[in-house]
Amino acid sequence: MTTFNDLGLDPKVVRAVTEAGYETPTPIQAGAIPAALQGRDVLGIAQTGTGKTASFTLPMITLLAKGRARARMPRSLVLCPTRELAAQVAENFDTYAQHVKLTKALLIGGVSFKEQDTLIDKGVDVLIATPGRLLDHFERGKLLLTGVQIMVVDEADRMLDMGFIPDIERIFSLTPFTRQTLFFSATMAPEIERITNTFLSAPERVEVARQATASETITQEVVMVRASRRDKAASEKRAVLRALIDREGTACKNAIVFCNRKTEVDIVAKSLAKYGYDAAPIHGDLEQSQRTRTLDSFRAGTLRFLVASDVAARGLDIPDVSHVFNFDVPTHSEDYVHRIGRTGRAGKSGKAIMICSTSDEKYLGFIEKLIAKDIPRAENPLGTTESRQAVDSADVEAASENEKKPRRSRGGRGRSKMADASANETQAVAEKSETEASVAEAPAQDAPREEAPRRGPSAGRSARGREDGPVGLGDHLPSFIAKSFEERMSR
Ligand code: AMP
């Protein structure tokens, strides 16, 4: 059996790996490390959980241990689609390079430019970045990429989903033609194939089994729900989610709840919290410090429910997650595989439960085709009638107000998604205010009756007089709007 000693790594790197507790290289490591150490390009088709991060960090550290960094000219570059993934890669470098003297900088949105500028000015061996932030630095003339000897593209398929491919192509063209490229993707979409054909030179192709086929430890089920009315669909689904969590009881130690949209992430997290579930959201529009805090507490086991978007949770290595709830059926079938792969890791058992509305049935079909099996149907724990009754009727109108509210257009596909990773600051601020607006309304929408007293048909108008109240909000008046009117009345 291959050991880390057989791979040709620097003994100091092997020592760090042994101290990290790894005994044998994973298949992607055994395949990629020797080729990378020979200076060859590597095309790794593997997803998170396979040990792919070490498959590029270990040879990089070995290769970079010789030589020294020059001011403003990083010697290697690792591109990641999200801040969290970049931060995780940086942690990996810290672990494996602890006996080797290497400098690194992390260029991600939400971290001050100044601090990173100082590091880069001094010269770094490893620069870990999200594409947008890297190009921001480059355009400000703070960085030269002509000294890059090794370039890593991590999670290329997610880069494609996020519209980063033009940025990646530009970054490739800014680095020397002679660089070594280590390129990782969970899947090989035609666009990814094109990039690898253009920018990689005779790569060693290392492909490891997809997680979908290896996930026997995950029990999957899907609960079909039919909304009583279209405008009640989301709040009825939230009631089903709570019932499913209750049904799982203490077996549900912790869970990631996935939603398709960032606004939904906020609403579901607020709603769960209002009903007394220990939940917090994570998505790209939140402050970096808040994202870090939330993730840390989820990892530490002090937060039970992490409500997440695909992008924010992508690639995160959280070893011990008992459940994954898919609040929505993902529209990209691949995302289903990534989502459920957050549980049942390292041989532990896990459970993945998905809620499927009538309108999402076709996506469920695509998923079942991809994983080549039918996901067992489970009973709706509320039954059909009860799930409708479980929704507080006072909340329904407010929820539908929010759900029907037209969302501001955010430009082209790529750019809007970019804010989920390394944000263009202005856009991030604009998007943040959009999110905050929906968050502000969220508690009232889904709150239990005792927490959000219903404003009856006459309550608002007779108390304040119709002309003093806002027009067009129906019977429900969100509390933050009511406050401004009450202030006006009391003057
Ligand atoms: P990754 O696919 O890079 O996200 O890694 C998934 C997890 O596997 C991380 O928690 C790593 O610390 C762990 N890991 C990486 N390589 C090995 C190895 N050879 N043996 C055991 N665990 C590993």
Side-chain angles (χ1 to χ4, degrees), residues 143-210:
L143 187 62
L144 281 170
L145 296 174
T146 44
V148 171
Q149 297 155 20
I150 308 171
M151 173 163 158
V152 177
V153 179
D154 195 13
E155 307 249 351
D157 49 341
R158 181 53 49 157
M159 303 262 199
L160 172 68
D161 286 351
M162 295 169 73
F164 279 145
I165 294 299
D167 289 348
I168 299 292
E169 289 189 76
R170 170 137 190 256
I171 295 166
F172 265 123
S173 70
L174 297 171
T175 60
F177 181 65
T178 50
R179 66 161 196 269
Q180 179 182 9
T181 309
L182 311 175
F183 191 100
F184 292 83
S185 185
T187 55
M188 287 302 286
E191 184 69 353
I192 302 284
E193 193 91 49
R194 183 185 67 77
I195 299 281
T196 57
N197 290 338
T198 313
F199 295 104
L200 272 64
S201 155
E204 172 81 8
R205 189 180 167 112
V206 187
E207 188 161 357
V208 300
R210 295 234 321 261

Side-chain angles (χ1 to χ4, degrees), residues 4 22-26 29 47-54 88 96 315 317 345:
F4 280 104
Y22 308 162
E23 285 161 11
T24 46
T26 63
Q29 292 162 1
Q47 52 183 244
T48 189
T50 55
K52 70 174 167 59
T53 317
Q88 205 166 280
Y96 307 136
D317 178 35
R345 292 176 81 116

Side-chain angles (χ1 to χ4, degrees), residues 252-266:
C252 179
K253 196 169 96 24
N254 61 355
I256 304 180
V257 180
F258 281 99
C259 303
N260 288 357
R261 294 191 310 266
K262 289 184 241 183
T263 45
E264 197 83 74
V265 167
D266 276 321

Side-chain angles (χ1 to χ4, degrees), residues 362-385:
K362 73 166 185 266
Y363 298 116
L364 175 62
F366 296 151
I367 291 169
E368 291 183 321
K369 197 157 164 235
L370 175 77
I371 62 174
K373 70 175 217 178
D374 290 342
I375 304 173
R377 273 37 177 185
E379 291 263 317
N380 178 343
L382 291 178
T384 326
T385 330

